[in-house]
Amino acid sequence: MTNKIDIHYCTGCRWLLRSAWMAQELLTTFEGEISELSLHPGTGGIFEVWVNDHRIWSRKDDGGFPEITKLKQLVRDQIAPGRSLGHSDSKT
Amino acid sequence: MTNKIDIHYCTGCRWLLRSAWMAQELLTTFEGEISELSLHPGTGGIFEVWVNDHRIWSRKDDGGFPEITKLKQLVRDQIAPGRSLGHSDSKT
């Protein structure tokens, strides 16, 4: 369990709250599989999520924010690819 | 602005919520002074707060959890020692 998540968010856009919410969702769902989750205050409309130095979401490239179920699928694909996320896990 | 905060919490004790709350308080108060704040899931009743690899709080050594005003003073002393925290800043 050496997986690291990084969330970069724009402070000027007031995205701390949603970033902290997503952080808690991920730490709850992947308890025992995440060793460190970091919040990085940024600027310029940044919102990115990285797993082990692999970027899984960028607001600018992916268009807005991820649904939380989609975000969990993307994290799961990186750190626990065989695991089902239960009822919220659909083929996307 | 290269200050890093680390919060270690015990998942078995269900301390994610208070850790995430403290994280948001610190990121709000010290916006522009923190470059990274990391949450570290742990075990065995751990609750520790580190600033730039200097431990400013340990539940086991300091006895329980810090008041949020006290925690902010301890962080301030490390990363912005000259700064006033306003009405909540008392001599302790």
Side-chain angles (χ1 to χ4, degrees), chain A residues 50-64:
Chain A
W50 295 66
V51 178
N52 297 332
D53 297 323
H54 175 76
R55 195 178 71 182
I56 61 165
W57 192 269
S58 161
R59 174 179 161 270
K60 291 176 182 171
D61 290 353
D62 294 303

Side-chain angles (χ1 to χ4, degrees), chain A residues 4 24 36-40, chain B residues 4 20 24 36-39:
Chain A
K4 187 184 181 202
Q24 292 170 82
E36 179 174 4
L37 186 150
S38 295
L39 294 165
H40 302 261
Chain B
K4 186 183 182 205
Q24 292 172 81
E36 180 175 3
L37 186 150
S38 295
L39 293 166

Side-chain angles (χ1 to χ4, degrees), chain A residues 7-72:
Chain A
I7 300 177
H8 297 260
Y9 67 95
C10 174
T11 58
C13 311
R14 307 287 178 210
W15 289 338
L16 169 60
L17 276 72
R18 68 185 70 184
S19 300
W21 167 63
M22 291 182 190
Q24 292 170 82
E25 288 274 355
L26 294 176
L27 285 165
T28 299
T29 295
F30 299 101
E31 186 183 295
E33 289 159 321
I34 294 174
S35 54
E36 179 174 4
L37 186 150
S38 295
L39 294 165
H40 302 261
T43 57
I46 193 171
F47 182 84
E48 295 180 359
V49 182
W50 295 66
V51 178
N52 297 332
D53 297 323
H54 175 76
R55 195 178 71 182
I56 61 165
W57 192 269
S58 161
R59 174 179 161 270
K60 291 176 182 171
D61 290 353
D62 294 303
F65 295 87
E67 295 279 341
I68 193 69
T69 49
K70 175 67 176 174
L71 182 62
K72 289 182 182 181

Side-chain angles (χ1 to χ4, degrees), chain B residues 19-37:
Chain B
S19 300
W21 166 63
M22 290 182 190
Q24 292 172 81
E25 288 274 354
L26 295 176
L27 285 166
T28 300
T29 295
F30 299 101
E31 187 183 295
E33 290 158 321
I34 294 173
S35 54
E36 180 175 3
L37 186 150

